Structures are given as C-alpha cells and as structure tokens.
Amino acid sequence: MKVTVLFVFVIFCFVVDANRISKGISVERESILSNGWNIEGRSSSDMELPFSIAMKQSNLPLLYQKLNDVSNPKSENYGRYLSNIEIEDLVRTSEVHRIAILSWLKLENINVDSCSVINGDVLSCSATVGQLERLLNTELYDISHLSKDVISVTHFNQLSIPFHLDEAIDLIQGLSFIPKRKAIFHHGEDPFAGEISNA
C-alpha cells in the first residue's frame, strides 16, 4: 500500500485588464463533472494550503551562452559544466523582484517569514484559502471523485496578479487538485490517471 499525494501544477497564459494580469488557465468545470468529480462546495476560508511562486530568473542569455560554450568541442571551456550552485547563483531572482513579491504577499497578511526560497528562484509559502482567493482574485472549491477516497481543492477561473508583478512572476504552482485528505492506493497506481485533462 502506498500513500499518493498529487500536485498538478497550473500552466500559465496571459490575459491583461487595467490593473491585473491573469497567469493561469481555467480548470474547466464541465471537464471535472464529466470525469467523475463532484463539486462539494467552496473550500473553508481558514484552511491552510501550500503554494509556490516561480519568480523571474535573471541572466538567462548569459546562461544560454555558457551552455553553448561548454557544449562546443571547439571551445576551451568544453566539458566544464556549471554546478547546480553556480547555476542557481547565475539565474537567482533579482532582489527588486523578490521584495516586490514579498510586499504583495504581506498585503494579504501572509506570513512571509515562513516562506522559503528554493534554487534561488522559487518562493514556497502557505496561506489560508481566504488569503489566496483575495490574493489571486479566484475562488477555491472542494471536489471529490466518485470512485476514489480523496477530496481535493481546485479553482475554476483564472488566477490573477497585480499588473506590476508581471515582470517578477513567471507562474504560480500548486493550486489545482490539492489533496485535502490522503488516500491509500495500491503501489504504482495513479489515482488520477486518465480522469482529468487540463488540455
């Protein structure tokens, strides 16, 4: 027996209005309902959820240049690959962008002291459903599957951020199909295989 936890990351596109830019695709309500899922109702506003913000990376042209250089047999740097730490340092999000994102989170009273930076460009945090709904101008719902002992949290409309953060944020991850309750499945079984498509 194996406990399976699934995080489906949101894929992002861009739709602009006067003050906000959308950074997400809608999870299609019809697709959910036609694939054996039931909408249980709005998620509890005080439930805590993890989420991640992929911040804009710096120095990508330089990274590509270095990649080409170490991959070119004619280069004196051929085979001198960068370490993970060297890559992290090279593409680390600018301090200006990081501070702008943290300030935005603080406006919703999200405890930024509990956030951690991963690989220099991903901010991993947690917040309540109510905070996330206000932060991202969305609604989160509990959904359950007819044949699986699992309740998940998802959204049905696009996530949006303030327009001025478009240059600081690449995407927001972890707010589609977040398991609320772990379910037990047989080893190797994917509890969601073939049941949901975000295409």
Side-chain angles (χ1 to χ4, degrees):
M1 303 292 270
K2 181 180 178 181
V3 175
T4 303
V5 177
L6 175 70
F7 287 94
V8 177
F9 293 143
V10 181
I11 301 171
F12 289 80
C13 64
F14 302 94
V15 179
V16 180
D17 71 17
N19 299 310
R20 297 182 74 87
I21 184 164
S22 291
K23 289 237 168 185
I25 63 168
S26 299
V27 176
E28 295 296 327
R29 189 180 297 251
E30 294 74 21
S31 174
I32 293 285
L33 296 176
S34 67
N35 282 288
W37 291 89
N38 286 321
I39 299 170
E40 301 291 333
R42 293 284 297 278
S43 299
S44 172
S45 63
D46 59 355
M47 180 174 57
E48 191 93 3
L49 296 176
F51 69 102
S52 297
I53 298 173
M55 302 179 287
K56 293 274 186 185
Q57 296 177 321
S58 303
N59 302 315
L60 290 181
L62 181 56
L63 177 64
Y64 297 143
Q65 178 185 341
K66 287 182 177 287
L67 173 65
N68 287 329
D69 191 35
V70 300
S71 302
N72 182 355
K74 295 180 179 177
S75 168
E76 64 183 31
N77 293 316
Y78 179 66
R80 296 180 182 170
Y81 301 107
L82 299 176
S83 69
N84 191 44
I85 292 173
E86 289 173 317
I87 294 171
E88 285 178 25
D89 288 343
L90 185 64
V91 301
R92 185 175 309 280
T93 301
S94 75
E95 192 67 8
V96 171
H97 285 166
R98 193 180 65 79
I99 290 171
I101 294 167
L102 291 173
S103 298
W104 171 57
L105 296 177
K106 286 179 185 177
L107 288 175
E108 276 305 329
N109 297 314
I110 292 172
N111 181 7
V112 297
D113 293 333
S114 67
C115 295
S116 58
V117 177
I118 303 167
N119 295 331
D121 62 356
V122 175
L123 192 62
S124 177
C125 302
S126 66
T128 66
V129 165
Q131 289 172 321
L132 288 166
E133 287 183 336
R134 290 187 298 272
L135 187 76
L136 300 168
N137 194 29
T138 193
E139 294 178 347
L140 294 168
Y141 291 85
D142 291 351
I143 59 172
S144 63
H145 197 271
L146 297 173
S147 64
K148 305 292 181 184
D149 182 26
V150 63
I151 295 177
S152 297
V153 176
T154 193
H155 63 92
F156 292 110
N157 55 346
Q158 293 184 331
L159 307 176
S160 68
I161 62 171
F163 189 75
H164 74 277
L165 290 175
D166 180 42
E167 290 302 313
I169 295 175
D170 269 335
L171 58 90
I172 298 168
Q173 305 176 108
L175 295 180
S176 293
F177 299 100
I178 304 170
K180 282 178 60 177
R181 184 175 70 234
K182 294 178 182 177
I184 298 176
F185 301 97
H186 293 91
H187 180 72
E189 179 183 358
D190 181 351
F192 299 97
E195 293 171 354
I196 286 297
S197 171
N198 285 340

